Amino acid sequence: MAQDGQTFKAGLEDVVANTSEICFVDGKEGRLIYRGYDIHDLVKGGSTFEEVIYLLWHGELPTASQLAELTQSIATQRALAPEVLQFLRSVRKDANAMEVLRTAVSVAGIYDPDNGDESMEANVRKATRLVAQVPTIVTTFERLRQGLEPVTPDPSLGMAASFFYLLNGEKPDDFVERAFNIALILHADHELNASTFSARVTAATLSDIYSAITSAVGTLKGPLHGGANEQVMRMLLEIGDVSKAEAFIDQALAEKRKIMGFGHRVYRTEDPRATHLRQLSREAGERAGETKWFEMSQIIERIVKEKKGLNPNVDFYSASLYYKIGLPVHLFTPVFASSRISGWTAHVLEQYRNNRLIRPRAEYVGPTNRTYVPLPERN
């Protein structure tokens, strides 16, 4: 039953739910814009992930001194509270990494030094800790599940290099650092995607920022949102060889199986993030002397375009890139969270600055005017 003449749209497709100055997805032109800056310009201009974090939070690119201050602030707050580390040590080693991250974020909120202070200044400090510590949570649990001790953060490293150092205990080479920095930028924000929307809904109740981010992590865990590149890589691993790729995809399409990593709810052209990830995937394979994952991806892209008219999205080439730079497949979604925490926090801060409770309506399709029958009279 529609309310007030409004038209129901499944999944809220194309429904404008709020205003924002943070990110614009131009689906028609295939552009992704952060605070007015095209991501192509940010990537080609050599931006660091920290620079993009500042842009998303404050609306302007930082000066050298502002960037240095934020970079230092993030770098010096990567260490986890003892209680968070204790929690990670206590978790069963076969636990889902996103479930662990979801709960660890909640635990971190309890022990945040600014817990209970909901001023904007305190929330910016909390956002800084979240951006700094989400990658530490992800990498620390991965080491613990392998029977290894956590690595002490190195404050001299930027976000991209720090992730690999915390994961492997070694600094990455220049290509891996550059490629991962670009990937972090490309995944930083994407307008009102499902996890960002859930974060804003939680923040709109004036719940704390850790609760909002916990909501976002729980939403990202869903395979229709955050797990697609993991499924892409598992498909590539199942195919196994370039010579088998065409037959595999032809059969999958004939059986009407969904090929992950293609199509998008908003973009009607190629996902602009895929443009950079395709090139990085190629470079990663060439540098390693093993291009089969990229070659298989090219074959799959060609066939799906020809037969389904679908373009690759951000998940498709990020899969083979992440695999070739040494990221475990089961960490692909937590890596997504380690980037998107920048956008989530930006949206939560924006929600707090101009808050209105988010309370949409539902189209009721059940019965009306039923007659109540007392319990003794029911058959």
Side-chain angles (χ1 to χ4, degrees):
M1 183 179 296
Q3 301 290 335
D4 303 323
Q6 296 180 356
T7 302
F8 165 71
K9 289 193 174 183
L12 298 180
E13 184 168 0
D14 294 329
V15 172
V16 176
N18 74 343
T19 61
S20 177
E21 298 180 352
I22 296 170
C23 180
F24 173 47
V25 177
D26 186 338
K28 184 177 181 181
E29 298 295 328
R31 299 179 68 204
L32 175 59
I33 297 170
Y34 296 162
R35 298 283 194 176
Y37 294 94
D38 193 299
I39 59 161
H40 294 316
D41 295 332
L42 292 170
V43 170
K44 293 175 183 177
S47 291
T48 62
F49 183 43
E50 288 89 339
E51 190 176 352
V52 170
I53 293 169
Y54 188 97
L55 173 66
L56 293 175
W57 285 0
H58 301 290
E60 300 291 342
L61 289 171
T63 63
S65 61
Q66 289 169 334
L67 179 58
E69 181 180 357
L70 177 62
T71 300
Q72 177 70 6
S73 181
I74 293 172
T76 56
Q77 296 190 73
R78 291 190 179 120
L80 303 177
E83 295 84 0
V84 178
L85 182 56
Q86 180 182 1
F87 162 72
L88 294 176
R89 289 186 184 278
S90 71
V91 177
R92 49 188 285 183
K93 298 304 181 281
D94 62 346
N96 180 286
M98 286 298 289
E99 293 180 4
V100 174
L101 176 60
R102 178 194 63 205
T103 307
V105 167
S106 187
V107 173
I110 297 172
Y111 297 100
D112 188 288
D114 286 304
N115 182 284
D117 185 347
E118 297 305 322
S119 66
M120 185 55 65
E121 294 78 13
N123 279 319
V124 171
R125 292 193 295 270
K126 294 175 190 176
T128 304
R129 293 185 194 106
L130 279 159
V131 164
Q133 292 174 19
V134 162
T136 309
I137 292 169
V138 171
T139 53
T140 296
F141 180 64
E142 178 61 18
R143 287 185 66 83
L144 290 171
R145 78 193 310 175
Q146 294 177 15
L148 302 171
E149 279 299 297
V151 174
T152 301
D154 182 347
S156 70
L157 300 178
M159 292 285 287
S162 175
F163 188 94
F164 280 86
Y165 180 70
L166 292 173
L167 182 64
N168 301 320
E170 297 178 356
K171 298 176 184 179
D173 64 31
D174 289 344
F175 171 76
V176 170
E177 181 177 2
R178 177 176 70 85
F180 194 57
N181 178 72
I182 292 172
L184 290 173
I185 290 172
L186 296 176
H187 286 85
D189 195 54
H190 209 239
E191 205 186 79
L192 276 191
N193 56 87
S195 55
T196 298
F197 187 59
S198 68
R200 292 195 74 133
V201 169
T202 302
T205 69
L206 295 185
S207 189
D208 65 284
I209 191 170
Y210 281 90
S211 293
I213 300 306
T214 301
S215 296
V217 174
T219 306
L220 185 66
K221 177 179 177 290
L224 292 184
H225 185 15
N229 58 0
E230 179 179 340
Q231 296 306 312
V232 170
M233 195 61 228
R234 296 198 186 283
M235 175 182 67
L236 293 174
L237 290 167
E238 183 181 352
I239 296 171
D241 190 79
V242 176
S243 63
K244 300 177 181 178
E246 186 163 355
F248 180 95
I249 296 303
D250 283 342
Q251 182 177 349
L253 291 175
E255 295 173 353
K256 300 188 183 302
R257 290 165 55 189
K258 181 176 177 59
I259 309 299
M260 300 301 288
F262 287 89
H264 196 275
R265 178 72 69 86
V266 180
Y267 291 117
R268 297 297 174 261
T269 61
E270 176 168 291
D271 184 330
R273 301 167 296 179
T275 306
H276 296 282
L277 292 166
R278 181 189 292 107
Q279 178 58 33
L280 289 171
S281 174
R282 179 198 296 271
E283 289 183 49
E286 290 173 347
R287 284 173 54 86
E290 183 188 46
T291 59
K292 72 174 188 176
W293 307 114
F294 176 75
E295 292 177 52
M296 279 191 277
S297 299
Q298 290 263 276
I299 292 169
I300 295 168
E301 179 183 1
R302 173 179 57 80
I303 296 172
V304 173
K305 269 188 174 182
E306 289 175 356
K307 296 192 173 183
K308 302 293 289 184
L310 296 175
N311 292 298
N313 57 38
V314 69
D315 298 303
F316 188 65
Y317 281 102
S318 64
S320 51
L321 170 64
Y322 286 174
Y323 191 74
K324 286 310 299 176
I325 63 176
L327 292 172
V329 177
H330 61 267
L331 282 191
F332 285 8
T333 306
V335 165
F336 192 156
S338 297
S339 169
R340 188 56 60 82
I341 184 64
S342 58
W344 289 336
T345 49
H347 279 270
V348 171
L349 293 172
E350 184 180 61
Q351 187 68 41
Y352 286 151
R353 289 188 179 105
N354 186 27
N355 189 57
R356 181 173 174 80
L357 181 67
I358 298 173
R359 204 300 191 184
R361 298 296 303 275
E363 181 177 13
Y364 178 69
V365 295
T368 58
N369 301 318
R370 300 176 79 179
T371 301
Y372 177 79
V373 178
L375 180 59
E377 298 177 19
R378 296 175 208 162
N379 295 325

